[in-house]
Amino acid sequence: MPVITLTDVVKTYPPREKGAPPLTAVDGVSLTIADGEIFGIIGYSGAGKSTLVRLINALELTTSGRIEIDGEPVTGLPERELRRVRAGIGMVFQQFNLFASKTVWGNVEFPLRAAGVPKSEHQARISELLHFVGLADKAHVRPDQLSGGQKQRVGIARALATSPRILLADEATSALDPETTQEVLGLLRRVNAELGITIVVITHEMDVIKSIADRVAVMDAGRVVETGPTFEVFSAPREASTRRFVSTVVSGAPVGDDLAALRRRHDGTLVTVRVSEGGVDQRDVFALLGRHGLSFEIVYGGIDEIQGRTFGTLTLAVTGPDGSVRAAIAELGDSATELEVV
Ligand SMILES: Nc1ncnc2c1ncn2[C@@H]1O[C@H](COP(=O)(O)OP(=O)(O)OP(=O)(O)O)[C@@H](O)[C@H]1O
Ligand SMILES: [Mg+2]
């Protein structure tokens, strides 16, 4: 059962200058996000990710297309009704957006007041939320006395205050160092697993998607260019922009100067092999080369892991009789590419 359904969603902004064409920030996006999943949206700056988020939580209206939340069309709802839809969606931001003059407690209380939750219920709810995010001892501290990770945990507690079914996290870890990023991602995982909240994570960081998203959509210039289970999309990327994201965590085939240096340093045929769990196993590749009587050396590449499954690219310098090298490459099929220095 999808909680969020987007069908052919388009958002254009009027031109900045007279006579210029309108700017299309989101260009025909269709997506379904299932109840209880962690869905990642990755793309470079300007890809349209934040615009898409503002459309999902109805802070902005679509130019065309349809958005449904919990099976209910959001497009075309009157403002009054939109407020109810928004109340079911929590938001976490890159810059935390905490009130500097309020304590941690006051920040988490704010949405409870705004939603008209009776004052008598605040104490128990806030205390429960601060325990959940591990900040019970910081209730009376102001944000400027917290670390970045602690600020974001307050941001998450505040977003959860009114018990939303969906949490949208737009670059929620982009201002944090790698270790703190993993801490906050761990908390988001608990929000998902223990509270059953559907999470949409928007990021330009491959590491974030890799460690948290069940499924991912890759956005480029307003469009979704690739989507599917995270392991499938990144272990066999089809689009250039997807490959660029993968290359930020695991090196692919060597190109340019790297390739030229390998050529100088190693004899034999340079062959890149794509390996992945469920696909080609590296041990099978080594055994196959052995069967053909070839020697080889791993000269470049890397293996990484998504959701406990390994994938990567290995470049080998293979030596032996030319006919055997040809036969081995042919047997490896689509997963292997012979590299030539141009
Ligand atoms: N309110 C607006 N008015 C005009 N153009 C806008 C507006 N908001 C966004 N845009 C444009 O839409 C495009 C997509 O912007 P958006 O902020 O959605 O990208 P993003 O993927 O979130 O980028 P980043 O990673 O930098 O946050 C950009 O070209 C941007 O300049
Ligand atoms: Mg953005």
Side-chain angles (χ1 to χ4, degrees):
M1 169 74 185
V3 255
I4 303 173
T5 308
L6 278 69
T7 314
D8 292 329
V9 172
V10 174
K11 178 67 183 180
T12 57
Y13 291 110
R16 296 229 166 89
E17 296 154 39
K18 239 183 162 168
L23 194 143
T24 305
V26 172
D27 190 7
V29 167
S30 297
L31 278 181
T32 54
I33 298 174
D35 192 13
E37 79 175 328
I38 302 185
F39 192 90
I41 299 177
I42 191 169
Y44 291 102
S45 186
K49 308 179 297 292
S50 296
T51 305
L52 198 66
V53 168
R54 292 195 300 271
L55 296 173
I56 292 173
N57 68 10
L59 285 174
E60 286 195 57
L61 301 178
T62 54
T63 305
S64 66
R66 248 170 102 82
I67 296 181
E68 285 162 47
I69 306 287
D70 269 329
E72 184 188 16
V74 172
T75 8
L77 280 186
E79 182 56 31
R80 228 193 107 73
E81 299 283 308
L82 284 180
R83 232 171 285 148
R84 181 177 49 78
V85 173
R86 275 182 219 129
I89 305 179
M91 273 292 288
V92 188
F93 308 90
Q94 176 172 0
Q95 296 308 335
F96 321 121
N97 296 7
L98 301 178
F99 294 109
S101 61
K102 290 187 197 294
T103 60
V104 166
W105 183 277
N107 270 281
V108 180
E109 186 174 38
F110 186 81
L112 296 175
R113 286 185 195 228
V117 174
K119 187 125 180 104
S120 59
E121 294 172 22
H122 290 195
Q123 169 89 28
R125 181 72 185 136
I126 297 167
S127 164
E128 176 190 27
L129 287 160
L130 291 182
H131 274 101
F132 185 80
V133 302
L135 287 176
D137 58 332
K138 299 285 183 197
H140 304 295
V141 160
R142 280 180 218 288
D144 62 1
Q145 292 173 46
L146 298 175
S147 69
Q150 290 170 332
K151 283 180 196 161
Q152 196 55 292
R153 284 192 267 155
V154 178
I156 292 169
R158 181 186 55 185
L160 296 178
T162 52
S163 307
R165 288 200 49 206
I166 301 168
L167 186 66
L168 304 177
D170 190 356
E171 303 283 4
T173 57
S174 299
L176 307 174
D177 62 57
E179 199 174 316
T180 314
T181 291
Q182 288 307 322
E183 257 174 55
V184 169
L185 294 179
L187 175 57
L188 290 178
R189 239 180 259 121
R190 282 181 52 222
V191 167
N192 175 253
E194 293 173 30
L195 309 176
I197 294 174
T198 305
I199 301 183
V200 184
V201 173
I202 286 87
T203 184
H204 65 278
E205 293 176 319
M206 177 64 191
D207 270 324
V208 170
I209 295 296
K210 201 187 92 176
S211 57
I212 199 172
D214 302 316
R215 289 196 305 138
V216 66
V218 182
M219 275 191 89
D220 195 359
R223 295 170 171 274
V224 169
V225 294
E226 207 160 338
T227 182
T230 306
F231 181 81
E232 260 90 88
V233 169
F234 289 116
S235 63
R238 284 182 282 109
E239 299 294 324
S241 53
T242 314
R243 273 199 290 272
R244 269 159 69 205
F245 282 116
V246 174
S247 71
T248 63
V249 294
V250 41
S251 41
V255 291
D257 290 349
D258 284 354
L259 178 55
L262 289 176
R263 187 64 292 171
R264 278 194 305 276
R265 268 186 303 197
H266 301 278
D267 294 327
T269 308
L270 294 174
V271 181
T272 289
V273 187
R274 218 167 56 204
V275 294
S276 70
E277 216 165 300
V280 176
D281 187 304
Q282 47 176 316
R283 283 163 304 189
D284 295 342
V285 174
F286 303 156
L288 183 149
L289 294 172
R291 271 203 311 281
H292 286 271
L294 300 166
S295 347
F296 62 90
E297 195 186 342
I298 298 173
V299 295
Y300 193 89
I303 300 285
D304 202 3
E305 200 181 276
I306 292 178
Q307 293 159 340
R309 297 165 72 188
T310 54
F311 76 104
T313 306
L314 296 177
T315 295
L316 313 169
V318 182
T319 47
D322 200 46
S324 308
V325 174
R326 299 281 125 236
I329 292 175
E331 202 177 322
L332 285 166
D334 280 352
S335 61
T337 314
E338 182 177 343
L339 302 178
E340 278 166 44
V341 184
V342 285

